[in-house]
Amino acid sequence: MDFRDDARLDGSQVESGGRGGFPRGGLAIGGGAAGVIALVLALIFGVNPGNITGGDPAPLGPASDLAAKCRSGQDADQNEECRVVGVVNSIQDYWPTVIQDYRPAKTVLFSGQVNTACGAADSSVGPFYCPADQRVYLDLSFFNDLQSRFGAKGGPFAQAYVIGHEYGHHVQNLLGTTDKVRGSQRGRLSASVRLELQADCYSGAWAKNAYETGLFEKPFSRQDIEEALSAASAVGDDSIQRRTQGRVDPDGFTHGTSAQRVQWFTTGYTSGDPRKCDTFAGGI
Ligand SMILES: [Zn+2]
């Protein structure tokens, strides 16, 4: 993944520094920390379904955007936070070409704990999207875990895949697809699995079209895509269950198997067409 040196970044799409504690009554919002932490492994790239009706965005604590620091593609190539900015910019340049009334969503980079309109969360939940405040939450330390604990190859494009997946949830929220999932549905053919696999597919569709957003030097390489596939495979329900409970329980699936996650990212990537991402239609 190589940004064009002179590509201009919009740092205001990413906030950095949301950290530390649960400020101003955050525990009361959306079930609180215990509820969120209980979901730990259920939220590997999750969409947080709590309090979907919520109105007011939760206070985020001290946060600053990266506008001053991340100005060019060169910054994105040299700095991890700026690379996130570049990827988010590209994703949000792409989706308006597909969805007429796309509304941008911010990414919040946090460290440790963060307070959101979906409740307070800590890093253990992994990256997630909160529909109630329409923000993507990302603790960059997760990407180290992805390698060390989940056995993925890692690399910049593993990160890009995850960010693409989270913005897939934002698109689902805008399109009303998120409403199809109620409560904590689980199981091989559950709406939750279908929603998650569709987000993987949307990430692939962006990856295919990302070069057209003008931010990158060249289309993504085979090696880039392999980083995404390795990450998708590492976070399949079956792989995670095998690692954490020593056996596979399809009734507990929430995100799809490794093979399914790889397959749906690939469907999005090879077609470049989000309309091919209809995971709700039939067999998955
Ligand atoms: Zn997800």
Side-chain angles (χ1 to χ4, degrees), residues 196-211:
E196 295 298 335
L197 293 176
Q198 186 176 61
D200 283 337
C201 187
Y202 283 169
S203 182
W206 159 72
K208 180 68 169 188
N209 292 285
Y211 179 64

Side-chain angles (χ1 to χ4, degrees), residues 206-223:
W206 159 72
K208 180 68 169 188
N209 292 285
Y211 179 64
E212 272 71 47
T213 64
L215 284 158
F216 298 100
E217 195 70 57
K218 49 187 182 293
F220 298 132
S221 67
R222 184 68 220 164
Q223 189 195 332

Side-chain angles (χ1 to χ4, degrees), residues 101-209:
D101 39 10
Y102 180 83
R103 290 196 306 277
K106 281 197 185 200
T107 285
V108 177
L109 299 179
F110 72 99
S111 172
Q113 296 170 331
V114 69
N115 188 30
T116 82
C118 296
D122 77 8
S123 299
S124 63
V125 301
F128 67 99
Y129 171 74
C130 171
D133 59 22
Q134 303 202 2
R135 287 186 169 100
V136 170
Y137 291 90
L138 215 54
D139 182 334
L140 292 177
S141 70
F142 170 79
F143 296 103
N144 301 328
D145 293 350
L146 196 58
Q147 279 178 276
S148 60
R149 286 178 50 211
F150 296 97
K153 273 185 183 178
F157 207 80
Q159 230 173 53
Y161 150 67
V162 172
I163 298 168
H165 173 104
E166 295 308 336
Y167 275 90
H169 285 315
H170 177 55
V171 168
Q172 291 169 327
N173 190 29
L174 294 178
L175 295 177
T177 320
T178 313
D179 296 339
K180 294 183 184 180
V181 175
R182 305 214 175 270
S184 61
Q185 294 193 41
R186 288 168 179 270
R188 213 167 47 83
L189 297 172
S190 63
S192 169
V193 166
R194 293 177 188 276
L195 196 74
E196 295 298 335
L197 293 176
Q198 186 176 61
D200 283 337
C201 187
Y202 283 169
S203 182
W206 159 72
K208 180 68 169 188
N209 292 285

Side-chain angles (χ1 to χ4, degrees), residues 240-263:
I240 291 175
Q241 287 180 346
R242 217 172 275 124
R243 195 172 307 114
T244 57
Q245 60 198 43
R247 63 188 180 85
V248 176
D249 168 25
D251 291 341
F253 285 0
T254 54
H255 286 68
T257 63
S258 297
Q260 285 175 313
R261 301 197 74 163
V262 165
Q263 179 210 318

